[in-house]
């Protein structure tokens, strides 16, 4: 397969959007640039002095690792300079960041809003476990009035694009613009993301379930029942499944996308709304997995149909191979159609 860089691919696919004038293409390019800069630092975190904690706390009350802060700054800098983005919601900031008021920007007719987790799984940084960046892109609804947080609180099925970068044994960028999912691997020798996984599809079935079983006693009964179902012997349905949990959402979901399987972070007695964030973790990953032929539900709804009410709201999530998520719906005592009533 001839080498095709992310930039060439984006331009080539621009034809999918007849009215596009290249803004989304440039925005995706800006994200790719930030990812390459972050990759350089993540890869030498053990060596550079940016390992360890910055001493500050983020909105989650978590001690910020310096790489979190660095990644956040790189994305904000690249998006601000690129001019296509007008507003950013980041896990690292309590409120949104309105780029239209920043003087450093050139013209700010930026049409797009970016929700991002600049470095997800950061508690794993010092352990050399794969971490990732997650981004979700919306179109600004009304260009003629000042930006408010309401512009960001858009429902997930209105996403224009979504993607993640996984900084692992190799660095990959995987994204969708609503017309399938494509994966690019960073070739350090030329400093370019190159198409390596065209048209990614998640198998309808998998043999892996991914959940933090340390929370078992705090799970609702239907999750406990499903975990037991995964562990039962049944040759016809390839059970028992294998349990794999990295504790880094991007890494767990990247494996799920490639091999098939299911990832669950349900509501628990300590996290009644689940732990993962809707805007910049669950919505983008749900968009990608659905585009690859999978499914993503919260306790009651299709993740992409949840109407956000605040930037950092959490949601339970069960996501992965279509048939496996449907099986969880059976244990939830709700027919699949009912849970996914809104349709795709
Ligand atoms: P737990 C990492 O901190 C993260 O936000 C996700 O990347 C990951 O899936 C989850 O939390 C892990 O949470 O409670 O199992 O450690």
């Amino acid at each position: 397969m001839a080498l095709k860089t992310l930039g060439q691919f984006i331009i080539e696919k621009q034809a999918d959007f007849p009215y596009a004038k290249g803004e989304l293409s440039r925005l995706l390019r800006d994200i790719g640039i930030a990812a390459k800069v972050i990759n350089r630092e993540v890869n030498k975190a053990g060596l550079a002095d940016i390992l360890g904690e910055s001493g500050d706390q983020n909105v989650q009350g978590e001690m910020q690792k310096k790489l979190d802060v660095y990644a956040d700054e790189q994305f904000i800098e690249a998006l601000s300079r690129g001019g296509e983005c007008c507003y950013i919601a980041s896990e690292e900031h309590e409120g949104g960041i309105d780029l239209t008021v920043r003087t450093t920007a050139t013209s700010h007719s930026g049409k797009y809003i970016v929700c991002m987790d600049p470095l997800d799984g950061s508690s794993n940084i010092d352990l050399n476990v794969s971490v990732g960046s997650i981004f979700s892109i919306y179109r600004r609804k009304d260009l003629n009035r000042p930006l408010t947080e309401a512009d960001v609180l858009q429902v997930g099925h209105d996403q224009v694009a979504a993607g993640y970068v996984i900084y692992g044994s190799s660095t990959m960028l995987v994204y969708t613009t609503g017309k399938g999912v494509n994966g690019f691997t960073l070739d350090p020798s030329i400093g370019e993301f190159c198409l390596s996984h065209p048209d990614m599809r998640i198998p309808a079935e998998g043999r892996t379930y991914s959940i933090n079983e340390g929370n078992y006693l705090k799970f609702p009964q239907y999750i406990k029942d499903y975990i037991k179902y995964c562990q039962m012997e049944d040759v016809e349905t390839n059970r028992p499944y294998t349990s794999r949990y990295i504790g880094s959402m991007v890494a767990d979901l990247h494996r799920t996308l490639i091999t098939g399987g299911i990832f669950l972070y349900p509501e628990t007695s300590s996290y009644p709304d689940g732990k993962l964030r809707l805007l910049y973790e669950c919505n983008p990953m749900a968009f990608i997995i659905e585009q690859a032929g999978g499914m993503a539900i919260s306790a009651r709804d299709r993740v992409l149909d949840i109407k956000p009410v605040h930037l950092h709201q959490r949601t339970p999530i069960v996501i992965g191979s279509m048939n496996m998520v449907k099986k969880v719906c059976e244990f939830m005592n709700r027919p699949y159609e009912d849970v996914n009533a809104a349709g795709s």
Side-chain angles (χ1 to χ4, degrees), residues 113-182:
I113 291 160
V114 175
C115 304
M116 65 177 187
D117 186 352
L119 206 62
D120 181 75
S122 54
S123 52
N124 293 307
I125 290 173
D126 303 4
L127 318 178
N128 224 357
V129 169
S130 297
V131 291
S133 303
I134 312 173
F135 60 90
S136 166
I137 301 172
Y138 292 90
R139 191 173 286 104
R140 182 177 176 178
K141 292 270 191 217
D142 181 346
L143 287 161
N144 299 316
R145 60 167 175 72
L147 275 162
T148 64
E149 215 161 78
D151 289 285
V152 195
L153 300 176
Q154 298 187 37
V155 68
H157 62 237
D158 281 346
Q159 287 175 91
V160 173
Y164 62 81
V165 182
I166 179 166
Y167 309 97
S169 44
S170 67
T171 294
M172 279 191 70
L173 186 148
V174 174
Y175 83 95
T176 180
T177 55
K179 296 193 184 289
V181 180
N182 290 284

Side-chain angles (χ1 to χ4, degrees), residues 178-252:
K179 296 193 184 289
V181 180
N182 290 284
F184 300 78
T185 300
L186 184 63
D187 178 341
S189 67
I190 57 171
E192 290 284 2
F193 281 105
C194 299
L195 183 63
S196 54
H197 296 66
D199 192 20
M200 298 178 82
R201 305 292 294 166
I202 182 170
E205 289 285 356
R207 297 207 54 208
T208 305
Y209 72 102
S210 184
I211 187 168
N212 183 343
E213 299 200 42
N215 296 325
Y216 184 82
L217 296 177
K218 302 174 183 170
F219 287 147
Q221 191 56 44
Y222 77 93
I223 293 288
K224 291 179 180 174
D225 295 344
Y226 180 68
I227 291 173
K228 289 304 164 213
Y229 169 84
C230 293
Q231 295 167 343
M232 281 160 64
E233 187 85 29
D234 180 284
V235 175
E236 265 186 36
T237 53
N238 285 320
R239 286 180 288 143
Y241 296 148
T242 297
S243 172
R244 284 283 183 278
Y245 192 72
I246 301 168
S248 182
M249 186 188 197
V250 172
D252 279 317

Side-chain angles (χ1 to χ4, degrees), residues 42-171:
V42 167
N43 276 351
K44 63 181 183 184
L47 307 171
D49 68 352
I50 54 176
L51 190 66
E53 300 185 358
S54 63
D56 304 325
Q57 289 214 341
N58 63 14
V59 295
Q60 333 295 339
E62 292 163 350
M63 291 306 291
Q64 272 185 326
K65 298 281 180 190
K66 285 182 180 176
L67 264 176
D68 273 1
V69 178
Y70 180 80
D72 183 61
E73 289 166 354
Q74 293 309 311
F75 276 115
I76 293 171
E77 178 59 29
L79 292 172
S80 182
R81 202 172 40 237
E84 304 304 342
C85 174
C86 58
Y87 198 90
I88 298 173
S90 165
E91 181 182 39
E92 303 302 335
H93 295 262
E94 186 148 6
I97 303 159
D98 181 345
L99 297 181
T100 60
V101 297
R102 284 198 172 203
T103 53
T104 51
T106 48
S107 70
H108 248 295
S109 60
K111 285 185 186 166
Y112 294 103
I113 291 160
V114 175
C115 304
M116 65 177 187
D117 186 352
L119 206 62
D120 181 75
S122 54
S123 52
N124 293 307
I125 290 173
D126 303 4
L127 318 178
N128 224 357
V129 169
S130 297
V131 291
S133 303
I134 312 173
F135 60 90
S136 166
I137 301 172
Y138 292 90
R139 191 173 286 104
R140 182 177 176 178
K141 292 270 191 217
D142 181 346
L143 287 161
N144 299 316
R145 60 167 175 72
L147 275 162
T148 64
E149 215 161 78
D151 289 285
V152 195
L153 300 176
Q154 298 187 37
V155 68
H157 62 237
D158 281 346
Q159 287 175 91
V160 173
Y164 62 81
V165 182
I166 179 166
Y167 309 97
S169 44
S170 67
T171 294

